Amino acid sequence: MNPSLEEDRRLLSKCITGDRNASEILVRRFSNLVYHSVQHTLVEKNISFTPQDLEDLHNTIFLQLFEHGCRKLKQYRGKNGCSLASWIRVVAVRVVLNHIRKKGMDAIAWQMKRTPLEDLSKLIGEEMDPLTLMQNEEQDRLVENGIQSLPPRDRLFIRLYFDQGTPIEDVAETMQISVPNAYTIKHRAVRKLKSYVSSMSK
Amino acid sequence: MTKICPSEEMIADYVEGRLSGSDRSETEAHLSDCETCLEGFLVVKSLLRDSDGVQLNPAPNHVTQAAVRLVQSQISLSNRPSVERLRVSIRRLYARVLDLLRPLLWGRMAFAPIRGSKIVVSNGLVHLRKIFREIETEIEVEKTTKGKAHIRVRLSEASKYKKGVRVSLKKGERVISSYLIDREYVLFEDIPFEHYAFDFSKDGVKLGTYFFEIKESHHGRK
Ligand SMILES: [Zn+2]
């Protein structure tokens, strides 16, 4: 095993037994990472914030890791070689997003960013008369059902590429596939969707 | 759709390319169906992308210090069996996020942040000190019968204002009761264990909100 992974585990088990020194080491080691993750998440979601907000969220994340007898920390396994840092990063992002979501702040950012499958409907609708006759809502619903019938990888591709508007190169990188492969998935998914939509709208 | 969201570790493994086979396709299937996880995944991904070459913004020293103290207070709390009886968890953040949110949503002024809290615990009794903009309050939660507690609120000696401060106990948006703190303390009796908020105001001007939850914590920690 990777020596730093082993060290992560040793530090973690000390924290779980209530070792004060180990806990301080853990906080100091990951303080910058957590702080940066909080800041990045807020920026990414277009949320305005103050240094006090960063501090509060930073502390909340550490509190959540250690509260209830380290209930959260105990979830870390490192099974596939996941480092404590990688794990804490995801925990931090989730905590921030949850708090944003609970307070409905996100609705604003979300609505501004999203173009809900409109482009896709258009793309499929090209050369397709039945679709152009349909109401937009109906179209979207049909497309949404069509998406559900696709295999997982194609579905995720569609979410990222059409729904989130991520450039295809980034989608490829995100899904750990080659760019040509991403194009293949795109064409395949659109073709399948077209045939799904035409079969349903007959 | 896979109802149970993948663990943080699963997402981290996926983001960093450590998943294969059914773990990978199950994660992809979930991400394609769950907005919440997809959003988290995308933020983590962008975080990793940005971290390459970009200087990490270091946490200010006092922030790290505060986290160390907070975490260590958790350790001493969980080492004390008496805490098992009753526990008040402070959700200071709720107040802060609400502060963030209000100007965005309704164009209102942000409330003063709530700072400083001290918890002294004895058997079935929790004592808190909260400092708002210009007032310092002491809140005491005492378990009375099963699932109920008395809550006492007073202004501490250090508080700038001694008169005219109003405290309202709220559940969601509903005000349960509201008193002027003009005596030694204000008592809220037999309050069922739940999520609440205290609003503090003076002459109609809001000083701060304190969100909290009273709950029983059970024996036999996992
Ligand atoms: Zn999910």
Side-chain angles (χ1 to χ4, degrees), chain A residues 31-32 39-40 45 48 52-53 56 74 77-78 80 86 94 101 103 105 153 159 175-176, chain B residues 6 8-9 13-14 16 18 24 28 32 39 46 57 59 64 72 75 96 100-101 115 222:
Chain A
S31 181
N32 285 351
Q39 191 170 14
H40 178 93
K45 303 310 291 180
S48 61
Q52 185 65 45
D53 300 325
D56 287 346
K74 285 176 186 164
R77 292 277 172 280
N80 295 315
S86 296
R94 279 194 172 174
R101 213 174 281 126
K103 295 299 164 193
M105 285 159 85
R153 183 153 305 171
R159 289 270 175 251
M175 294 181 65
Q176 300 139 39
Chain B
E8 283 87 357
E9 188 158 330
D13 282 342
Y14 180 67
E16 293 171 25
R18 281 185 296 270
R24 180 167 166 180
E28 286 176 339
S32 73
E39 188 185 17
S46 68
N57 214 343
T64 306
Q72 295 193 332
I75 294 170
R96 292 299 309 151
L100 270 172
L101 171 74
R115 293 158 194 276
K222 259 213 304 197

Side-chain angles (χ1 to χ4, degrees), chain A residues 94, chain B residues 1-6 30 34 36-38:
Chain A
R94 279 194 172 174
Chain B
M1 137 170 170
T2 325
K3 282 280 182 228
I4 301 163
C5 294
H30 184 88
C34 178
T36 308
C37 287
L38 182 64

Side-chain angles (χ1 to χ4, degrees), chain B residues 73 76-78 80-88 90 118-128 139-141:
Chain B
S73 75
S76 32
L77 274 179
S78 58
R80 289 173 68 159
S82 62
V83 185
E84 301 285 342
R85 297 269 313 267
L86 177 77
R87 203 179 163 120
V88 175
I90 306 153
K118 195 167 181 166
I119 312 175
V120 185
V121 186
S122 70
N123 217 6
L125 185 76
V126 179
H127 190 89
L128 309 153
I139 301 166
E140 224 170 58
V141 182

Side-chain angles (χ1 to χ4, degrees), chain A residues 33 82-91, chain B residues 8 12 16 18 44:
Chain A
L33 174 81
C82 181
S83 68
L84 200 48
S86 296
W87 180 75
I88 288 176
R89 188 186 292 119
V90 181
V91 172
Chain B
E8 283 87 357
E16 293 171 25
R18 281 185 296 270
V44 171

Side-chain angles (χ1 to χ4, degrees), chain A residues 89-90 93, chain B residues 15 39-49:
Chain A
R89 188 186 292 119
V90 181
V93 168
Chain B
V15 170
E39 188 185 17
F41 162 69
L42 289 173
V43 173
V44 171
K45 191 77 201 173
S46 68
L47 188 50
L48 282 177
R49 210 177 281 140

